[in-house]
Amino acid sequence: MIRILLAEDDEAMRTYLTRALEQAGYCVVAVASGAEALPMIKTEIYDLLLSDIVMPEMDGIELAQRCNELSPSTKVMFITGFAAVALRANREAPHAKMLSKPFHLKDLVMEVERMFEDVAAASL
């Protein structure tokens, strides 16, 4: 089962995303900040880091950079409602996928599925 670490500071959005991804068959661990997510990356293996970019303490870009150092095989997808922040993320984490708010849950699930198509094909 694909394991996702979700870092999202908005509680309602975190609950909403967690529920949608779990219903799609993913194992989701959700935290409220990058600072909360970092120790988990150090001790657990996740297939995907799904992170808001704008968060207090440690933003999603810094979290993704640290994740890349600690767990280079973990894929990264950002979610953001800020276009200027998205441009910065593309520069500083060029291998990450980007999903702009607002988005439909089906779009999120479809993007996650796309990221792991190669894994699904390899297991056939």
Side-chain angles (χ1 to χ4, degrees):
M1 178 178 279
I2 291 173
R3 298 189 71 222
I4 299 172
L5 177 59
L6 170 63
E8 167 62 65
D9 61 322
D10 181 277
E11 185 177 355
M13 179 66 85
R14 191 170 58 248
T15 301
Y16 182 65
L17 296 175
T18 299
R19 191 172 303 136
L21 291 165
E22 287 176 344
Q23 286 178 348
Y26 298 104
C27 175
V28 181
V29 175
V31 296
S33 69
E36 235 182 291
L38 190 57
M40 299 180 85
I41 294 168
K42 290 178 180 177
T43 59
E44 300 279 333
I45 295 174
Y46 296 94
D47 300 294
L48 174 65
L49 169 63
L50 178 59
S51 179
D52 191 2
I53 295 177
V54 179
M55 295 185 290
E57 298 175 65
M58 176 186 292
D59 69 20
I61 296 170
E62 182 182 350
L63 175 61
Q65 290 169 335
R66 298 289 306 276
C67 178
N68 190 45
E69 294 165 9
L70 296 166
S71 179
S73 65
T74 300
K75 297 175 188 276
V76 176
M77 182 187 296
F78 292 123
I79 48 179
T80 187
F82 301 95
V85 173
L87 292 173
R88 178 177 153 235
N90 282 334
R91 265 195 328 274
E92 296 182 29
H95 301 294
K97 287 285 267 176
M98 184 74 57
L99 196 59
S100 295
K101 295 176 188 174
F103 53 83
H104 291 283
L105 289 177
K106 65 179 169 97
D107 295 330
L108 169 66
V109 171
M110 192 169 57
E111 286 300 321
V112 172
E113 285 173 356
R114 255 190 223 132
M115 291 183 85
F116 292 100
E117 281 176 345
D118 56 332
V119 175
S123 67
L124 293 178

